[in-house]
Amino acid sequence: MSSNENKRLWMYANMVKSRHFEDLIKPAYFEGKSPVFNMAKGPIPGEMHLSDGQEPCAVGICAHLREDDVVTATHRPHHIAIAKGVDINAMTAEIFGKKGGLAGGRGGHMHLFDPAVNFSCSGIIAQGLGPAVGAAMAAKLSGSDAVAVAFLGEGAANQGAFHEALNLASVWKAPVVFVIEDNSYGISVSKSDCTAVERNAVRAISYDMPGHHVAKNDPDAISEIAGEAIRYARNGQGPSLIEIETSRLEGHFMGDPEGYRPDGEVDRLRELDPIPKYRARLLADGFEEADLESAEQDARNIVERAFSFARENQYPEPEEAYDHVFV
């Protein structure tokens, strides 16, 4: 295979891996939460935000990143963590609150940190943008050509931190790429009801940086634009903004009744599911069915081993709650 074919197969495999991860999270999350839904019950307490439908955003960007590049992600982080190469065993154990987790079970699914691949995420809206600018400047000042990427949702583009980060990144010509995953909803509020502009990519001009809009949740189109923006950053030309038109196939969180969705919207989005669409495109472009099936099976096996690792892992001892606490 050519390098481009290998990249596309990698993208497809990681989309499948992310989706299978979420497919196994769903039943695990709902354990102990019926007949009455109680978010505090079961082996995975708290909120759970799944990334079904948004897989192209992660693979299209991360296909161009190195281990030393920094990524900050959102409260909906699994697809991005997987594409960045976060230790999936430790990530799964963290979500289950186990001792072998990335943070020893202390953080849960919105607080995944893996310094080995420079990945972090946060449940606070737009929180990762400032740290991404800082990481980009640290690389620049040390003479490295590493870059930083800050993922955010379209709702975060209305936060003050978004504008502050873009302004400072442009002033300093920081090697950072801001990636907006536009899934049309900030929790339950539609973009059209809370955002003055149709496309957030146009906001880039206010901060003297390139702004790109990618339509139709297309992995190849995302990859093409991402390659351009990341080269721009590595070459010392400064920041870029990429807005990706994507879709959220699940509710804002597991258990969300989704009463705010228009009738039939989810069904229409599922007809546009990016994974089967991309599979069909790869086959049309000459990829062998056997190669895709092998990639799919490998991806599923990795996820299933991660869940077995997490289930078998031990919970931390109560006294360990005092470890890593500064007093």
Side-chain angles (χ1 to χ4, degrees), residues 26-187:
K26 292 172 196 175
Y29 179 74
F30 280 114
E31 287 176 24
K33 293 182 175 67
S34 62
V36 177
F37 180 76
N38 184 334
M39 195 177 286
K41 299 293 187 181
I44 306 178
E47 283 194 334
M48 176 57 60
H49 310 85
L50 301 185
S51 55
D52 296 38
Q54 297 186 199
E55 298 90 350
C57 306
V59 298
I61 301 292
C62 292
H64 300 276
L65 297 181
R66 307 188 310 232
E67 197 172 84
D68 61 335
D69 295 324
V70 169
V71 166
T72 63
T74 69
H75 59 281
R76 196 178 308 282
H78 301 161
H79 59 314
I80 305 168
I82 286 169
K84 186 58 169 76
V86 168
D87 183 325
I88 194 168
N89 286 1
M91 168 179 157
T92 312
E94 183 63 32
I95 291 168
F96 277 83
K98 298 296 186 71
K99 197 168 184 173
L102 292 166
R106 294 171 176 80
H109 105 104
M110 287 187 281
H111 304 97
L112 304 172
F113 298 89
D114 190 348
V117 295
N118 291 300
F119 176 88
S120 65
C121 64
S122 172
I124 306 300
I125 303 302
Q127 192 279 334
L129 278 69
V133 175
M137 287 305 298
K140 180 177 180 177
L141 294 172
S142 68
S144 167
D145 69 344
V147 303
V149 175
F151 284 85
L152 62 146
E154 84 290 333
N158 295 329
Q159 296 284 316
F162 171 82
H163 300 277
E164 293 168 3
L166 267 68
N167 181 66
L168 199 56
S170 185
V171 169
W172 285 343
K173 287 197 175 297
V176 59
V177 180
F178 301 98
V179 179
I180 300 173
E181 296 181 279
D182 178 7
N183 64 22
S184 300
Y185 287 99
I187 307 179

Side-chain angles (χ1 to χ4, degrees), residues 244-322:
I244 301 169
E245 192 179 287
T246 188
S247 59
R248 196 186 76 197
L249 300 182
E250 301 287 347
H252 171 64
F253 58 88
M254 291 269 69
D256 179 359
E258 301 185 73
Y260 50 87
R261 298 257 209 186
D263 289 344
E265 179 181 84
V266 175
D267 290 336
R268 289 193 295 273
L269 291 176
R270 290 196 180 279
E271 290 174 2
L272 300 173
D273 189 326
I275 295 179
K277 281 186 66 178
Y278 197 49
R279 190 183 201 279
R281 180 188 296 176
L282 293 177
L283 289 172
D285 288 347
F287 282 76
E288 296 292 335
E289 178 110 30
D291 290 337
L292 299 187
E293 289 176 352
S294 177
E296 291 161 1
Q297 191 57 55
D298 287 346
R300 293 188 184 106
N301 289 343
I302 289 168
V303 171
E304 287 162 17
R305 286 196 295 270
F307 273 76
S308 294
F309 173 83
R311 293 278 196 180
E312 294 164 5
N313 209 249
Q314 298 298 308
Y315 286 104
E317 297 298 328
E319 57 269 21
E320 291 181 58
Y322 296 101

